[in-house]
């Protein structure tokens, strides 16, 4: 899976969008993906790299836990503007570059992840309405400033 995504990035002339690090940080909040010992992961910079022509989220992670367990995470790191984070996730999900990469990763457990401040109001739009509209599961993760969330925690229940 990871090698197929790398090939697709190259074919799209976007190989430079693969990040050297599996850690992302913005607005005092962070995200990382710590793969299992036999797992493989990659992070793609979406904002101003994979997508430059519309709203977009910050990054995209692909994680192959095992031969049959594949995950993708669309991630937006946001302060308090929850509604705008969801707009960015939606625009990314519907962008041809994202769709092309996802076609290389089927089947997989696809999640949208909004990492927001603990103070953010996350009741509007409602999570369930957004999921129904976008046909994508959404995880809203409020964290403290200067904290980092490990996406691997989301694979334990999948």
């Amino acid at each position: 899976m990871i090698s197929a995504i790398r090939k697709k990035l190259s074919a799209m002339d976007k190989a430079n969008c693969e990040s050297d690090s599996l850690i992302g940080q913005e607005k005092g909040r962070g995200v990382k993906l710590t793969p299992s010992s036999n797992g493989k992961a990659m992070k793609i910079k979406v904002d101003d790299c994979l997508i430059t022509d519309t709203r977009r989220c910050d990054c995209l992670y692909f994680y192959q836990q095992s031969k049959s367990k594949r995950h993708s995470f669309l991630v937006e790191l946001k302060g308090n503007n929850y509604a705008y984070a969801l707009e960015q996730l939606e625009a990314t999900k519907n962008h041809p570059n994202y769709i092309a990469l996802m076609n290389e990763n089927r089947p997989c457990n696809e999640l949208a992840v909004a990492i927001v401040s603990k103070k953010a109001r996350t009741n509007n739009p409602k999570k369930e309405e957004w999921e129904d509209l976008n046909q994508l599961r959404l995880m809203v993760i409020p964290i403290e400033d200067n904290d980092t969330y490990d996406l691997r925690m989301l694979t334990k229940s999948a």
Side-chain angles (χ1 to χ4, degrees):
M1 168 190 91
I2 300 289
S3 60
I5 291 168
R6 284 188 177 120
K7 283 181 190 174
K8 188 63 175 178
L9 281 171
S10 271
M12 297 166 63
D13 199 25
K14 298 284 187 177
N16 62 316
C17 295
E18 183 177 356
S19 179
D20 294 332
S21 170
L22 292 174
I23 300 170
Q25 185 105 17
E26 192 174 301
K27 295 179 178 39
R29 273 156 286 293
V31 63
K32 67 181 179 178
L33 178 56
T34 308
S36 60
S37 58
N38 59 340
K40 295 178 182 173
M42 71 185 299
K43 176 184 164 210
I44 297 171
K45 296 173 276 183
V46 175
D47 195 4
D48 285 332
C49 194
L50 182 68
I51 299 174
T52 59
D53 59 347
T54 187
R55 292 180 180 164
R56 62 249 174 208
C57 67
D58 292 315
C59 54
L60 169 62
Y61 286 85
F62 289 102
Y63 177 37
Q64 185 160 0
Q65 223 173 341
S66 67
K67 197 166 193 143
S68 62
K69 289 188 178 180
R70 300 172 171 196
H71 306 275
S72 67
F73 305 97
L74 271 170
V75 178
E76 176 59 29
L77 295 160
K78 199 51 94 189
N80 292 318
N81 197 342
Y82 168 72
Y84 188 59
L86 297 189
E87 289 176 22
Q88 291 173 280
L89 289 165
E90 180 178 358
T92 303
K93 181 193 183 296
N94 294 315
H95 195 278
N97 290 355
Y98 174 75
I99 292 167
L101 291 179
M102 287 308 297
N103 286 337
E104 300 297 319
N105 188 37
R106 301 267 184 234
C108 84
N109 180 34
E110 182 182 9
L111 292 173
V113 181
I115 297 177
V116 297
S117 167
K118 281 252 187 205
K119 299 172 189 168
R121 293 185 180 180
T122 58
N123 59 342
N124 203 4
K126 297 201 179 333
K127 178 181 178 297
E128 296 80 14
E129 291 169 5
W130 189 90
E131 289 176 331
D132 289 345
L133 180 67
N134 292 284
Q135 296 298 295
L136 181 63
R137 188 159 174 227
L138 172 66
M139 302 302 295
V140 180
I141 302 168
I143 63 173
E144 298 288 344
D145 289 349
N146 302 314
D147 203 358
T148 299
Y149 185 82
D150 194 335
L151 296 170
R152 187 166 165 204
M153 298 300 292
L154 298 175
T155 67
K156 301 210 185 294
S157 60

